[in-house]
Amino acid sequence: MRLFIILILLLNVFLNVGKLHAQTGKLGFELDMSKPREYTIGDVKCEGTILDCDAIAVLADLTKGKKIKIPGEDIPKAIKKLWEQKYFSYVAIDATGVEGEFIFLTIRLKDRQRIGGYKSGGGMRKKEFENLTESLDLYKGKLITEDLMYNVRRITKDFFVEKGFHNVKVEASLQEIYDTIRKRPKDPKPLPPVGPYVVIKVNKGPKVKIDNITFEGVTKFKKGQLYRAMKETKRRKWWRFWKTSKFKESEYKSDKEKILDKYYNKGFRDAYIVSDSVYDISQKYMRIHIKIDEGHQYYFRNISWIGNSKYRSGQLDTALGIKKGDVYNQAELE
């Protein structure tokens, strides 16, 4: 019986506390969220940002004098617009007062951090790091976002893969780095940082070289002719000391086009690369396999001229230099 009475008393206390909170509320007034009502914005304040509040209000479409409905879509839309700017890591909008038809709003924000600088965390030569940062477009004051850090890792990896380091590992992190040079007078402590530094660390690993290049479906050319057509992508040969066998994606793409040009110039105008694969066979070596559909060989047949009055067709045939039965060559025709 005593336990029952104690439970009743405790329940009474909780109900009274809840009633008090509902009456006074956190902000000293109540909004009836069960019935939508139209208000006129009396004023807008901003907290937690260094940006201009009037500009933020315009951005959120919550300017003074605008009519909004609560509950309704105006506040959720405003929050969404502010998130889309990617300037903030926290966004909230509170009603801080109501006077008749007027409602007063506070936009609570937390600015995203901005880059205080950038530095190498190791694994790169000074010149490599300088060239890399040009590609990254990093600069002091740039907003730090998830996309920024993802792109730092991606671009850094692509940068070294293009140089032949296919097993490169990249770490990109934010670190608070204090300025140990700028000091207050008679104060040994450094000033606080203006923002975290982006620190990039790489482990390049060994350069990966091309061990061999194999072709499939090739019958119209000797494979050596196709190897020579690839000007930059070369197999590993002990005697080729003037040209390395490192793999570069951009050069490989260009060399595949040169292979097809060789076919086109010999009349195989339908030739195309069915598939190609680039795969590692060890930490230091890789192989390339290219499958080609050669198609049929074409020849020039009849060549006729229309609209010529100044020169005879025979004269134009001589100038053109192409005869019936010649192997079709698009480059020569152009």
Side-chain angles (χ1 to χ4, degrees):
M1 186 67 178
R2 288 179 63 187
L3 179 63
F4 177 74
I5 292 171
I6 291 171
L7 289 173
I8 291 295
L9 289 172
L10 286 173
L11 182 61
N12 237 351
V13 170
F14 285 127
L15 287 174
N16 285 333
V17 169
K19 186 177 180 182
L20 179 66
H21 179 74
Q23 286 174 347
T24 59
K26 181 181 178 183
L27 301 170
F29 65 94
E30 287 187 86
L31 289 177
D32 187 353
M33 303 300 285
S34 64
K35 296 178 181 179
R37 178 184 167 185
E38 189 174 77
Y39 294 91
T40 300
I41 297 176
D43 194 15
V44 178
K45 294 182 179 179
C46 300
E47 293 182 359
T49 180
I50 62 172
L51 301 179
D52 181 70
C53 191
D54 290 338
I56 291 171
V58 171
L59 199 60
D61 196 19
L62 293 177
T63 51
K64 185 177 179 179
K66 178 182 171 66
K67 294 186 181 297
I68 61 173
K69 189 174 288 186
I70 297 179
E73 296 182 357
D74 297 290
I75 299 299
K77 281 183 178 179
I79 292 174
K80 183 179 178 183
K81 287 177 181 177
L82 292 173
W83 272 121
E84 287 173 349
Q85 305 310 308
K86 298 185 178 180
Y87 292 143
F88 313 107
S89 60
Y90 175 81
V91 178
I93 299 176
D94 293 337
T96 51
V98 172
E99 294 179 8
E101 68 175 65
F102 293 97
I103 190 165
F104 299 85
L105 302 176
T106 297
I107 302 176
R108 306 188 193 279
L109 304 164
K110 185 176 180 181
D111 290 339
R112 284 192 182 275
Q113 290 181 303
R114 295 176 182 268
I115 294 175
Y118 50 86
K119 68 187 294 286
S120 169
M124 292 174 277
R125 296 194 302 271
K126 182 179 179 181
K127 190 63 178 178
E128 286 178 326
F129 184 66
E130 289 174 357
N131 293 336
L132 171 63
T133 50
E134 288 179 9
S135 302
L136 291 172
D137 189 30
L138 292 176
Y139 54 86
K140 186 176 179 178
K142 189 170 187 176
L143 282 171
I144 299 172
T145 65
E146 292 80 4
D147 288 345
L148 172 72
M149 298 305 293
Y150 170 79
N151 285 328
V152 166
R153 297 183 187 96
R154 178 183 59 81
I155 294 171
T156 301
K157 183 173 182 178
D158 291 346
F159 177 84
F160 285 102
V161 166
E162 185 66 15
K163 291 182 175 294
F165 298 98
H166 290 265
N167 298 315
V168 62
K169 292 180 173 59
V170 178
E171 294 179 19
S173 60
L174 296 172
Q175 292 183 18
E176 298 288 355
I177 298 176
Y178 288 80
D179 190 338
T180 56
I181 299 174
R182 297 181 300 117
K183 294 180 180 179
R184 302 181 186 91
K186 299 180 181 181
D187 187 352
K189 293 182 180 179
L191 293 174
V194 294
Y197 274 55
V198 176
V199 180
I200 306 167
K201 181 180 179 180
V202 301
N203 181 357
K204 293 187 285 190
K207 279 192 175 182
V208 180
K209 296 183 179 181
I210 302 168
D211 175 66
N212 197 13
I213 302 172
T214 56
F215 292 99
E216 181 182 347
V218 177
T219 60
K220 307 301 182 182
F221 289 96
K222 291 180 179 179
K223 293 180 180 178
Q225 293 175 286
L226 300 186
Y227 291 137
R228 288 190 292 274
M230 302 175 79
K231 299 300 182 185
E232 302 298 333
T233 310
K234 299 294 185 182
R235 299 177 295 169
R236 179 168 62 109
K237 291 293 183 181
W238 66 268
W239 46 263
R240 189 188 295 111
F241 56 86
W242 65 89
K243 181 69 179 178
T244 62
S245 58
K246 66 182 179 182
F247 177 86
K248 291 187 177 181
E249 183 66 38
S250 58
E251 293 178 349
Y252 174 56
K253 184 177 179 180
S254 176
D255 282 339
K256 285 191 291 183
E257 293 174 356
K258 288 183 176 67
I259 289 174
L260 292 179
D261 287 341
K262 191 166 189 68
Y263 274 95
Y264 299 154
N265 292 341
K266 293 298 181 181
F268 296 93
R269 56 181 295 184
D270 297 330
Y272 69 99
I273 294 175
V274 178
S275 62
D276 67 294
S277 57
V278 179
Y279 57 96
D280 295 334
I281 59 172
S282 70
Q283 283 195 331
K284 292 186 177 181
Y285 295 106
M286 65 191 305
R287 285 179 182 167
I288 299 173
H289 182 75
I290 302 173
K291 184 178 180 180
I292 298 175
D293 187 325
E294 297 176 313
H296 299 288
Q297 191 173 31
Y298 290 81
Y299 299 87
F300 287 105
R301 195 176 179 183
N302 295 323
I303 300 174
S304 57
W305 304 88
I306 298 173
N308 53 306
S309 58
K310 188 172 182 180
Y311 296 101
R312 299 190 305 277
S313 294
Q315 291 175 293
L316 296 179
D317 286 336
T318 302
L320 184 64
I322 296 175
K323 310 186 298 292
K324 180 179 180 179
D326 286 352
V327 172
Y328 178 83
N329 186 324
Q330 182 65 36
E332 186 181 351
L333 178 61
E334 289 176 357

